[in-house]
Amino acid sequence: MFLNLITELKRHNITRVFVAQKLGIDVNTLNNKIYGKTDFKLTEVNKILELFPNTSIDYLFKKEKQNK
């Protein structure tokens, strides 16, 4: 799970619908990627980084283990 990405989306009032549209994918697909069920493509990572120009890739895409 990419907790920092989730946090930054909320902090900047960016919806997952907006991000999914920017990436050209379905919101459910985006959620699967955010929660680590499927991987982001490099092109998707780059588009997300454009939304946060002052934030590092290492910070945004630091994986956190999901509690079960």
Side-chain angles (χ1 to χ4, degrees):
M1 172 167 54
F2 297 106
L3 188 57
N4 292 340
L5 177 56
I6 294 168
T7 300
E8 292 303 317
L9 289 172
K10 288 179 183 176
R11 184 176 303 174
H12 290 88
N13 295 316
I14 299 172
T15 67
R16 292 184 191 191
V17 171
F18 175 80
V19 176
Q21 289 173 341
K22 183 171 178 66
L23 300 180
I25 61 175
D26 185 76
V27 175
N28 291 327
T29 302
L30 176 62
N31 285 330
N32 285 339
K33 292 172 186 264
I34 289 173
Y35 287 100
K37 294 178 183 175
T38 57
D39 293 328
F40 280 99
K41 295 177 185 176
L42 182 57
T43 54
E44 295 168 338
V45 169
N46 287 330
K47 287 179 182 180
I48 291 170
L49 287 172
E50 289 174 4
L51 299 172
F52 307 101
N54 297 320
T55 306
S56 75
I57 188 172
D58 293 333
Y59 169 75
L60 276 182
F61 292 95
K62 178 182 176 189
K63 274 202 167 183
E64 301 287 338
K65 290 185 180 177
Q66 197 171 2
N67 293 334
K68 292 187 177 185

